[in-house]
């Protein structure tokens, strides 16, 4: 009998897999990172500490989420207290739990949508899947079955569940699954040209479009704030053509751009808003969507024919995650952290502009709130710059377009920001000269 090992060896055509830990690395070519991974064991405010004791300034707030900093004891206590009372209970049919209800009421108070209903789940990718499903379900219920296409922007990132993969504007996240779009009926629009967006809507036909999904400020796509008139044009097209506007505020929500939601900063009135990361600052996996009355009211009518939105998951409204989120929202308010971002923004902008002015290898800097991107000349390898920065004690990440991510926790000091950007300046120069 042929053994599994022999079968694997045959399948690999004599190639030997790299050895490494059992954990599959995310978003990476495994041989390029196995043996080089940094194992983070502790966090301290704006810093994390590796297994071998290296202290690193977290210039990206993890994956854009560690807004209030790492290892806050108040949140650990909130989780402990809740688990000692009730770890969780599901929210299916007649059942719910007190913390899911309490969190939803608090979220409704700060919602960018007036009088919303809130669907809770486990994160941003979950939220995008729910929002896209609900958009199509809305038009089916309305008796307009041709409205199925979901439009999203070039360079967009909306997580990596089925819908997030399908509407990604980063082509490498959509490739390799056997079809052009994992979920059919999706298409991309220009990331910055409102007139091209108009043409795409006309070509596909508004009668076929269910929704347009957009990040107010693109994150993974290179930190792209909206060009003048862009978001306003999208909102106008949605209103004039009966297309739902879905805002992905997984990164921008809960203060990252200096307002509670970017919807407020840019004067938008969306139909659905997705959120995650900043709702707990990463202390518990939690996300969800705000649903406008236009969408939720038909599902609440007191009638035997009222439709059901067939969605739910075991951990939707997880009681411990909700308790952590409630405490986190209290910290945001009590410490005026959203206002702090707004007040810190001019210094943040000036520091990035100063970096661009003094380093000829910086092509452009872009920013909004505490969300920044530093684009380098193509000849300077951005991933190598990130490696050099780690050696210096600072974390950045490579983004699309040879761009470095700058998104520190809200508690960052001006001194820490300047040290971070000085290390970036130095690392860019070293890599350019190598």
């Amino acid at each position: 009998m042929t053994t599994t090992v022999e079968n694997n060896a045959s399948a690999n055509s004599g190639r030997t897999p790299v050895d490494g830990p059992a954990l599959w690395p995310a978003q990476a070519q495994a041989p390029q990172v196995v043996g080089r991974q940094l194992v983070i064991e502790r966090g301290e405010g704006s810093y994390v500490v590796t297994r071998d004791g290296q202290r690193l300034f977290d210039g990206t707030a993890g994956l854009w989420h560690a807004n209030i900093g790492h290892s806050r004891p108040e949140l650990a206590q909130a989780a402990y207290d809740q688990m000692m009372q009730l770890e969780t209970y599901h929210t299916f049919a007649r059942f719910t739990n007190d913390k899911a209800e309490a969190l939803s009421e608090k979220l409704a108070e700060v919602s960018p949508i007036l009088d919303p209903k809130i669907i809770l789940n486990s994160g941003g990718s979950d939220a995008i899947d729910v929002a896209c499903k609900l958009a199509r379900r809305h038009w089916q219920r309305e008796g307009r079955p041709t409205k199925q296409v979901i439009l999203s922007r070039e360079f967009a990132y909306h997580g990596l569940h089925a819908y997030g993969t399908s509407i990604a504007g980063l082509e490498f996240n959509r490739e390799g699954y056997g079809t052009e779009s994992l979920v059919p009926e999706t298409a991309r629009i220009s990331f910055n040209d409102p007139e091209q967006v108009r043409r795409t809507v006309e070509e596909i036909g508004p009668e076929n479009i269910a929704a347009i999904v957009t990040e107010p400020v693109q994150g993974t796509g290179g930190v792209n704030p909206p060009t003048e008139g862009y978001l306003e044009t999208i909102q106008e097209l949605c209103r004039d053509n009966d297309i739902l506007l879905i805002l992905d505020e997984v990164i921008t929500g809960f203060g990252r751009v200096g307002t509670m939601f970017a919807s407020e900063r840019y004067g938008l009135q969306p139909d659905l808003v997705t959120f995650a990361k900043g709702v707990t600052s990463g202390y518990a996996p939690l996300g969800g969507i705000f649903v406008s009355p236009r969408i939720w009211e038909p599902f609440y009518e007191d009638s035997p024919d009222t439709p059901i939105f067939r969605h739910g998951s075991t951990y939707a409204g997880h009681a411990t995650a909700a308790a952590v989120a409630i405490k986190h929202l209290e910290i945001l308010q009590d410490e005026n952290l959203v206002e702090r971002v707004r007040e810190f923004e001019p210094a943040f902008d000036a520091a990035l502009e100063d970096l661009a002015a003094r380093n000829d290898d910086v092509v452009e800097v872009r920013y909004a709130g505490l969300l920044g991107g530093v684009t380098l000349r193509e000849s300077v390898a951005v991933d190598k710059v990130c490696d050099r920065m780690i050696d210096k004690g600072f974390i950045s990440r490579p983004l699309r377009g040879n761009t470095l991510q700058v998104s520190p926790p809200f508690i960052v000091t001006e001194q820490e920001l300047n040290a971070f950007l000085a290390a970036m300046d130095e690392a860019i120069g070293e890599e350019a000269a190598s």
Side-chain angles (χ1 to χ4, degrees):
M1 179 180 291
T2 304
T3 66
T4 302
V5 172
E6 290 170 340
N7 277 331
N8 287 342
S10 175
N12 288 330
S13 303
R15 293 171 296 186
T16 303
V18 295
D19 195 11
L23 180 65
W24 191 320
Q27 287 289 76
Q29 186 180 37
Q32 298 301 312
V33 299
V34 170
R36 300 178 60 238
Q37 289 163 293
L38 298 167
V39 180
I40 305 300
E41 285 196 340
R42 291 186 293 116
E44 303 169 351
S46 293
Y47 297 81
V48 292
V49 181
T50 66
R51 177 184 288 167
D52 61 5
Q54 186 181 16
R55 190 169 184 258
L56 299 169
F57 176 75
D58 190 2
T60 64
L63 288 176
W64 326 84
H65 66 258
N67 295 345
I68 67 168
H70 299 284
S71 303
R72 296 286 297 255
E74 310 98 301
L75 296 184
Q77 189 66 49
Y80 173 83
D81 290 345
Q82 182 58 42
M83 286 184 182
M84 291 301 292
Q85 177 178 314
L86 172 71
E87 77 294 343
T88 195
Y89 208 78
H90 67 81
T91 59
F92 279 41
R94 292 183 61 196
F95 290 92
T96 184
N97 67 72
D98 61 331
K99 289 302 185 295
E101 287 197 339
L103 173 61
S104 296
E105 295 302 323
K106 285 187 173 293
L107 290 172
E109 292 174 4
V110 300
S111 169
I113 292 174
L114 186 64
D115 191 24
K117 297 297 181 189
I118 291 139
I119 298 175
L120 296 174
N121 50 45
S122 300
S125 292
D126 286 359
I128 284 292
D129 260 33
V130 174
C132 291
K133 284 172 61 179
L134 184 52
R136 288 185 60 167
R137 181 72 178 90
H138 168 78
W139 293 117
Q140 296 295 306
R141 186 204 54 74
E142 287 277 298
R144 302 174 69 178
T146 64
K147 292 178 76 66
Q148 298 179 15
V149 177
I150 307 290
L151 298 183
S152 53
R153 294 165 68 187
E154 297 170 316
F155 312 137
Y157 179 84
H158 298 291
L160 292 173
H161 285 3
Y163 254 118
T165 297
S166 302
I167 65 175
L170 297 164
E171 290 300 314
F172 52 77
N173 278 336
R174 302 175 61 243
E175 296 171 347
Y177 300 103
T179 57
E180 191 275 333
S181 184
L182 194 60
V183 177
E185 290 86 36
T186 70
R188 254 53 59 204
I189 57 177
S190 170
F191 85 103
N192 64 357
D193 182 349
E195 293 311 309
Q196 191 276 341
V197 176
R198 288 186 189 276
R199 290 193 296 271
T200 301
V201 169
E202 291 172 3
E203 290 165 5
I204 294 174
E207 71 280 4
N208 298 315
I209 301 172
I212 297 178
V213 184
T214 180
E215 303 158 273
V217 179
Q218 287 190 330
T220 303
V223 184
N224 300 309
T227 55
E228 185 175 355
Y230 181 86
L231 292 176
E232 294 85 348
T233 297
I234 286 184
Q235 180 161 267
E236 175 191 332
L237 284 168
C238 288
R239 293 294 171 260
D240 291 349
N241 294 284
D242 253 0
I243 297 169
L244 299 183
L245 176 58
I246 303 174
L247 290 188
D248 181 344
E249 295 232 35
V250 168
I251 290 175
T252 56
F254 301 97
R256 176 55 67 179
V257 298
T259 51
M260 186 61 81
F261 292 90
S263 315
E264 303 164 44
R265 177 167 179 146
Y266 298 111
L268 303 175
Q269 297 177 320
D271 298 293
L272 299 165
V273 175
T274 65
F275 64 87
K277 302 181 186 295
V279 70
T280 68
S281 278
Y283 281 78
L286 190 149
I289 63 174
F290 296 103
V291 184
S292 67
R294 175 187 184 185
I295 310 298
W296 68 256
E297 283 179 348
F299 292 92
Y300 276 72
E301 292 174 353
D302 187 8
S303 166
D305 299 322
T306 297
I308 299 174
F309 179 45
R310 293 288 182 184
H311 177 79
S313 58
T314 302
Y315 300 125
H318 192 280
T320 300
V324 169
I326 290 168
K327 175 55 69 173
H328 173 261
L329 293 176
E330 290 174 3
I331 290 172
L332 279 184
Q333 180 176 5
D334 293 347
E335 299 183 10
N336 298 312
L337 290 177
V338 178
E339 292 81 358
R340 187 177 192 280
V341 172
R342 186 161 57 249
E343 293 167 359
F344 198 90
E345 183 173 4
F348 184 75
D349 298 353
L352 288 173
E353 291 288 356
D354 182 61
L355 172 63
R358 70 176 183 262
N359 193 315
D360 292 339
D361 292 301
V362 175
V363 175
E364 183 183 15
V365 291
R366 296 176 298 280
Y367 39 76
L370 275 183
L371 194 57
V374 177
T375 298
L376 309 183
R377 296 186 189 280
E378 291 185 7
S379 59
V380 182
V382 70
D383 56 332
K384 301 295 185 183
V385 172
C386 289
D387 288 344
R388 291 178 183 274
M389 290 186 67
I390 286 171
D391 291 341
K392 298 174 187 298
F394 298 87
I395 297 174
S396 183
R397 288 178 64 236
L399 304 175
R400 184 209 67 84
N402 215 40
T403 296
L404 291 160
Q405 178 179 336
V406 183
S407 60
F410 295 176
I411 60 173
V412 66
T413 66
E414 196 164 343
Q415 181 180 8
E416 288 171 334
L417 176 65
N418 289 336
F420 175 63
L421 293 180
M424 181 177 289
D425 186 16
E426 190 175 277
I428 293 168
E430 291 172 355
E431 184 57 31
S434 65

